[in-house]
């Protein structure tokens, strides 16, 4: 962490307070804690987004309030004392009282519902989605790890494995690199066509599998999907895989600085229609900007946000039985596919004279 990153984020928090005529800001959600501390982890239960520590920005200081069993790790592993946060350590049942004492008499805003505070939760995705150079470097590193984990896991899949076994492979490959698999979805055979969000089951794989990973490290989240088929892909499924690759390519090509997110969304809808699947977009959201959540928000026809250099996006168009998903980063001259995998079969799509490479289904013949 460079001082500059923290300074920029503190300035953004100050601007948020001034915009709403507030004096203090309370941060208690895991993604926002990670953003504000340049990547620190403040969770225990990965199924909850409630942080085990609170950050409080006031006119007189930067406070971190936590209990006595969390403080040592936050100080030592996360280095937050060195980052300049003033620790207030309480017993587990006294945290709220300490927050109230420190914020007493101040006009308070918070990133989640809190008594007496203005709810600012909707402001944070827009703060988080514009990645600073240090965050861009961390996202690229994370994406490389997620791509490697996916590549190793999916190439180890064999007919006869259960979805639980496949999920265990994918999760282990992510964790081996220090990446937390916060989404680990597996579908095989008919379940690929039945479910867009397939939690793994004891079903035994026969020929076809889809693996979906959202991995978290230093607070950031990267997303990637790949599919594998044993034997030649049936022609109808090949047509669907080709179509979803063309839709994804169109959306990636349209995600350029100065474009509005809803323009990209509309490009995707037009691509669905052109591919002969005009209503499939209604079956699942199409993705959006990535950052400290798998999607900082989901793109719709109403989303007016501008695409900017340094942002990351994960589009995820689906057609029943097929899906395309990678995490990309917006560069000044071109987009970079961060989760690309060497030697993975590709579908090359031509969009306005440029080639956009999208992953094909891996066929094991």
């Amino acid at each position: 962490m460079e001082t500059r990153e923290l300074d920029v984020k503190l300035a953004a928090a100050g601007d948020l307070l001034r915009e709403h005529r507030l004096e203090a800001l309370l941060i208690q959600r895991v993604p926002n804690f990670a953003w504000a501390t340049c990547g620190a982890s403040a969770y225990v239960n990965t199924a909850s987004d409630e942080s085990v520590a609170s950050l409080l920005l006031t006119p007189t200081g930067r406070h971190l309030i936590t209990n006595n069993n969390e403080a040592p790790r936050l100080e030592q592993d996360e280095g937050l004392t060195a980052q300049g946060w003033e620790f207030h350590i309480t017993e587990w049942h006294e945290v709220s009282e300490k927050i109230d004492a420190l914020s007493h008499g101040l006009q308070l805003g918070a990133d989640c519902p809190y008594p007496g505070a203005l709810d600012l939760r909707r402001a944070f995705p827009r703060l988080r989605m514009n990645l600073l150079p240090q965050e861009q470097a961390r996202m690229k590193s994370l994406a490389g790890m997620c791509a490697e984990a996916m590549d190793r896991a999916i190439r180890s899949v064999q007919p006869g494995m259960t979805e639980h076994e496949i999920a265990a492979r994918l999760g282990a490959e992510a964790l081996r690199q220090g990446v937390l698999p916060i989404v680990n979805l597996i579908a095989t055979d008919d379940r690929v066509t039945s479910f867009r969000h397939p939690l793994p089951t004891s079903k035994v794989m026969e020929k076809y599998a889809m693996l979906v990973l959202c991995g978290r490290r230093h607070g950031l989240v990267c997303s990637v999907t790949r599919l594998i088929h044993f034997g030649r892909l049936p022609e109808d499924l090949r047509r669907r895989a080709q179509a979803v690759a063309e839709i994804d390519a169109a959306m990636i090509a349209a995600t350029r600085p100065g474009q509005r997110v809803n323009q990209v969304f509309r490009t995707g809808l037009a691509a669905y229609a052109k591919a002969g699947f005009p209503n499939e977009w209604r079956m699942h959201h199409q993705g959006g900007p990535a950052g400290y959540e798998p999607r900082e928000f989901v793109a719709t026809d109403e989303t007016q946000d501008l695409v900017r250099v340094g942002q990351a996006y994960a589009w995820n168009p689906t057609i029943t039985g097929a899906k395309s998903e990678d995490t990309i980063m917006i560069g000044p001259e071109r987009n970079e596919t961060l989760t690309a995998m060497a030697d993975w079969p590709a579908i090359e799509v031509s969009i306005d004279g440029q080639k956009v490479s999208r992953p094909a289904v891996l066929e094991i013949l």
Side-chain angles (χ1 to χ4, degrees):
M1 190 279 296
E2 297 181 13
T3 302
R4 174 64 177 161
E5 179 184 356
L6 181 60
D7 289 345
V8 170
K9 291 175 176 179
L10 292 175
D15 290 342
L16 180 63
L17 291 176
R18 282 186 288 275
E19 177 185 351
H20 293 278
R21 298 183 180 181
L22 299 170
E23 300 168 290
L25 178 62
L26 179 65
I27 295 175
Q28 294 189 308
R29 292 189 63 242
V30 167
N32 300 329
F33 189 102
W35 171 80
T37 57
C38 309
S41 297
Y43 57 83
V44 173
N45 177 1
T46 59
S48 171
D49 72 352
E50 184 178 350
S51 175
V52 297
S54 299
L55 303 176
L56 180 65
L57 302 174
T58 73
T60 58
R62 292 192 282 120
H63 308 280
L64 188 154
I65 306 97
T66 191
N67 60 50
N68 48 16
N69 66 297
E70 301 295 345
R73 190 192 66 80
L74 293 170
E75 290 177 315
Q76 297 168 35
D77 284 358
E78 305 297 341
L80 295 181
T81 300
Q83 201 179 92
W85 296 95
E86 181 183 350
F87 272 63
H88 301 268
I89 303 170
T90 74
E91 295 183 3
W92 62 268
H93 55 93
E94 298 176 331
V95 173
S96 294
E97 288 83 350
K98 177 56 71 172
I99 293 172
D100 292 343
L102 290 168
S103 61
H104 180 71
L106 299 175
Q107 294 295 314
L108 181 65
D111 67 343
C112 59
Y114 191 85
L118 179 65
D119 189 343
L120 297 174
R121 76 181 93 176
R122 294 184 181 276
F124 278 85
R126 269 71 185 184
L127 295 178
R128 299 188 309 243
M129 68 181 284
N130 293 304
L131 303 180
L132 299 174
Q134 299 90 337
E135 293 171 303
Q136 294 169 33
R138 293 198 292 271
M139 179 66 90
K140 289 181 180 181
S141 176
L142 167 63
M145 294 175 182
C146 288
E148 182 178 342
M150 176 62 77
D151 195 43
R152 286 175 175 268
I154 199 167
R155 291 183 188 274
S156 75
V157 168
Q158 293 292 329
M161 295 175 66
T162 68
E163 292 174 352
H164 285 144
E165 289 174 316
I166 297 170
R169 296 281 181 98
L170 182 56
E173 289 293 347
L175 288 166
R176 185 178 62 83
Q177 300 183 81
V179 174
L180 182 67
I182 63 172
V183 175
N184 184 347
L185 302 179
I186 309 295
T188 60
D189 306 308
D190 61 313
R191 294 188 75 244
V192 180
T193 59
S194 296
F195 306 116
R196 255 67 170 191
H197 285 164
L199 298 180
T201 71
S202 59
K203 183 194 174 301
V204 173
M205 176 192 173
E206 296 175 14
K207 290 185 176 182
Y208 191 35
M210 177 176 71
L211 284 66
V212 181
L213 172 66
C214 296
R216 177 197 281 162
R217 181 178 171 87
H218 301 309
L220 294 166
V221 181
C222 177
S223 302
V224 59
T225 294
R226 291 293 184 272
L227 297 99
I228 185 170
H229 190 277
F230 287 82
R232 189 167 299 280
L233 206 60
E235 284 308 309
D236 181 61
L237 190 53
R238 188 181 304 279
R239 179 174 71 94
R240 291 167 180 267
Q242 176 73 34
V244 83
E246 292 172 359
I247 296 163
D248 199 13
M251 297 184 77
I252 290 171
T255 312
R256 295 299 299 146
Q259 292 294 305
R260 295 195 181 277
V261 173
N262 62 354
Q263 293 174 306
V264 181
F265 177 80
R266 292 166 188 166
T267 296
L269 267 56
Y272 272 100
K274 181 179 179 181
F277 298 92
N279 292 311
E280 285 280 332
W281 70 271
R282 300 178 183 275
M283 303 300 292
H284 190 282
H285 72 76
Q286 302 307 299
Y292 290 83
E293 298 272 16
R295 305 295 183 272
E296 291 292 8
F297 53 81
V298 170
T300 72
D301 192 51
E302 305 299 322
T303 312
Q304 293 288 326
D305 299 73
L306 286 172
V307 177
R308 302 180 189 277
V309 171
Q311 292 175 343
Y313 284 80
W315 301 115
N316 47 259
T318 64
I319 294 172
T320 301
K323 180 182 179 183
S324 184
E325 180 182 33
D326 273 307
T327 300
I328 66 170
M329 184 163 287
I330 311 307
E333 303 298 329
R334 64 181 182 86
N335 297 334
E336 180 181 357
T337 302
L338 302 183
T339 44
M341 301 173 198
D343 302 322
W344 190 270
I347 297 173
E348 300 294 337
V349 182
S350 180
I351 305 288
D352 296 330
Q354 64 170 308
K355 292 288 186 180
V356 181
S357 181
R358 302 308 307 126
V361 176
L362 177 62
E363 295 178 73
I364 307 298
L365 303 176

